[in-house]
Amino acid sequence: MEVVVQAASEVPQGCFVSVRLGEHLKQRRFNKNTATYYFPAVEDKGKARVDVYQLVGTCSIPIDPAVAETKEVSVIGSDPDSEVLKLRVSTANKEIKAEDTQRQRQEIETETKDAAVGYLAKHGIEQKLSECLRTMLRMKPEEPIDFMCKFLTGGKFVPEESSSPVQQGKPEAPPAPTAPPAETAPPTPAAGPPEAAQPDARAALMKSVRAGDLIGAVEEEDKLNVPFALRPSVGTWLMPLSLDQVSHTTPEASQLHRRGSTEPEVAIGDWLLAPNGSFNLKGLGHTSMECCEVERLLTKALMEMDGELAGEYYAFAAHPMNPGGLSSKEKDSLASKKLLFESFDAAGRGIYVTEKEDVALWVNAEKHLQILVHQSAQGELQHKVAMVVSALQGPLIQDGYTLSP
């Protein structure tokens, strides 16, 4: 195969041009602005590598094949002003075995590999990439490439409009549920208390499940006049409640009002922590890995909050909503608002503050979630706690978790 190299622009005089094709390397002085190289025939497509070398200096060494010797020679530089280079050259007439060639090649590869590993370790590349991948797999962002770019550059991660309910504005209210047809209406509950029918309903359900007949369970419950609330569910539909309904219709809100009316709040600086404002996610503990999962679940739910509860999350460690972690400026700002809490491990911990700065949430402080209300909104403390609980419960239930006092 013939390879011809020609100068398409000015090339330094006296340089050398080498061409590597596969395992074959050939080079020659490039004096006539053109050079021709011949290689064995190539069967498959590949790439030819061309290197241009500048001549630094030259010298000649007499070699006697019968004598093994070492000589020190001076290199005549191409630049008269350059320093004199000296080289020590040893010659020996011995046969080079294939094993020696292979060993030399392995030594070169090992040296190159060690240099690459040292470079990665010096700049912490592997640690940064590993942290980026762990965070990405934990948060599962909709745009992983965009997330990785912003994580590695230390920029702030802002979810896309298509994947962030907060940026889309308030969701449209779901259509009002229509009344079921008369033939499918639930049977009228028995006059007695529902607790009396619950064991019979459970026994009928287990009997039908073992037999693989769910329809039979429903028919059995019809005979027993089982209340509709005790029937097996085939699905769940979550409807957002208006604020005037929250404190009266949700069990969490009712519990909050009952407890809040008799137990005092705890003052933390300018903030109040109601005794019913601390929660754990049922089924998760407080190990480092579990705290990271709690943070992922809570921040996912926090991103869906809008209106009075819209705000910003400040993660102590790297997080998709704040890949660079808590900056010194953000830390000083939170400290001035008396919102920072101490923790021996920053992973999975952070603070959410509403835009009005009247509600703040601690993530993985003493508990998984602690709701703080500013003293300026003390009269609405229980109402705001109930709002937060109601806003978080829906997304958490969809992920299979609930808030437990």
Side-chain angles (χ1 to χ4, degrees), residues 301-354:
L302 291 172
M303 288 170 58
E304 300 186 17
M305 298 204 306
D306 56 5
E308 295 182 34
L309 298 179
E312 186 173 358
Y313 181 70
Y314 300 92
F316 287 7
H319 186 275
M321 297 175 69
N322 192 7
L326 196 64
S327 66
S328 57
K329 183 178 180 180
E330 293 171 336
K331 186 175 181 180
D332 294 340
S333 176
L334 292 172
S336 65
K337 298 170 186 175
K338 310 296 183 184
L339 281 177
L340 273 182
F341 61 87
E342 295 183 358
S343 176
F344 67 92
D345 185 8
R349 289 165 172 81
I351 302 173
Y352 180 87
V353 185
T354 59

Side-chain angles (χ1 to χ4, degrees), residues 159-236:
E160 298 293 338
E161 293 185 359
S162 59
S163 60
S164 176
V166 175
Q167 297 180 4
Q168 294 176 358
K170 289 188 176 182
E172 295 182 0
T178 58
E183 60 271 18
T184 60
T188 305
E195 293 79 0
Q198 187 171 359
D200 294 334
R202 189 171 300 163
L205 175 62
M206 294 305 299
K207 178 181 177 182
S208 62
V209 168
R210 293 190 185 97
D213 182 16
L214 188 59
I215 297 178
V218 178
E219 294 177 349
E220 189 69 23
E221 290 171 343
D222 287 339
K223 298 177 182 178
L224 296 173
N225 291 327
V226 177
F228 183 75
L230 299 179
R231 294 190 170 202
S233 172
V234 296
T236 302

Side-chain angles (χ1 to χ4, degrees), residues 213-377:
D213 182 16
L214 188 59
I215 297 178
V218 178
E219 294 177 349
E220 189 69 23
E221 290 171 343
D222 287 339
K223 298 177 182 178
L224 296 173
N225 291 327
V226 177
F228 183 75
L230 299 179
R231 294 190 170 202
S233 172
V234 296
T236 302
W237 177 59
L238 301 174
M239 180 178 69
L241 300 175
S242 59
L243 297 182
D244 57 345
Q245 293 175 315
V246 169
S247 61
H248 302 288
T249 57
T250 62
E252 294 81 8
S254 301
Q255 183 181 10
L256 289 172
H257 281 288
R258 288 197 302 270
R259 294 180 58 186
S261 60
T262 58
E263 299 182 27
E265 303 86 8
V266 177
I268 303 176
D270 298 331
W271 300 84
L272 299 175
L273 172 63
N276 48 13
S278 300
F279 302 89
N280 285 321
L281 266 65
K282 198 170 183 180
L284 291 174
H286 295 272
T287 65
S288 180
M289 184 175 296
E290 288 174 312
C291 285
C292 290
E293 177 64 9
V294 169
E295 183 186 43
R296 185 187 74 84
L297 294 168
L298 287 178
T299 53
K300 179 181 175 183
L302 291 172
M303 288 170 58
E304 300 186 17
M305 298 204 306
D306 56 5
E308 295 182 34
L309 298 179
E312 186 173 358
Y313 181 70
Y314 300 92
F316 287 7
H319 186 275
M321 297 175 69
N322 192 7
L326 196 64
S327 66
S328 57
K329 183 178 180 180
E330 293 171 336
K331 186 175 181 180
D332 294 340
S333 176
L334 292 172
S336 65
K337 298 170 186 175
K338 310 296 183 184
L339 281 177
L340 273 182
F341 61 87
E342 295 183 358
S343 176
F344 67 92
D345 185 8
R349 289 165 172 81
I351 302 173
Y352 180 87
V353 185
T354 59
E355 294 177 354
K356 295 182 178 180
E357 297 186 354
D358 57 346
V359 177
L361 309 181
W362 282 354
V363 177
N364 288 319
E366 293 182 1
K367 286 197 171 185
H368 290 159
L369 176 67
Q370 290 175 276
I371 306 173
L372 307 174
V373 178
H374 198 268
Q375 288 185 353
S376 60

Side-chain angles (χ1 to χ4, degrees), residues 108-126:
I108 295 175
E109 291 178 354
T110 301
E111 183 180 353
T112 304
K113 180 179 178 181
D114 292 342
V117 172
Y119 173 81
L120 294 176
K122 177 182 178 181
H123 296 281
I125 302 299
E126 289 182 305

Side-chain angles (χ1 to χ4, degrees), residues 100-112:
D100 297 334
T101 304
Q102 181 67 20
R103 184 174 62 255
Q104 184 181 19
R105 183 177 299 175
Q106 289 179 352
E107 291 176 355
I108 295 175
E109 291 178 354
T110 301
E111 183 180 353
T112 304

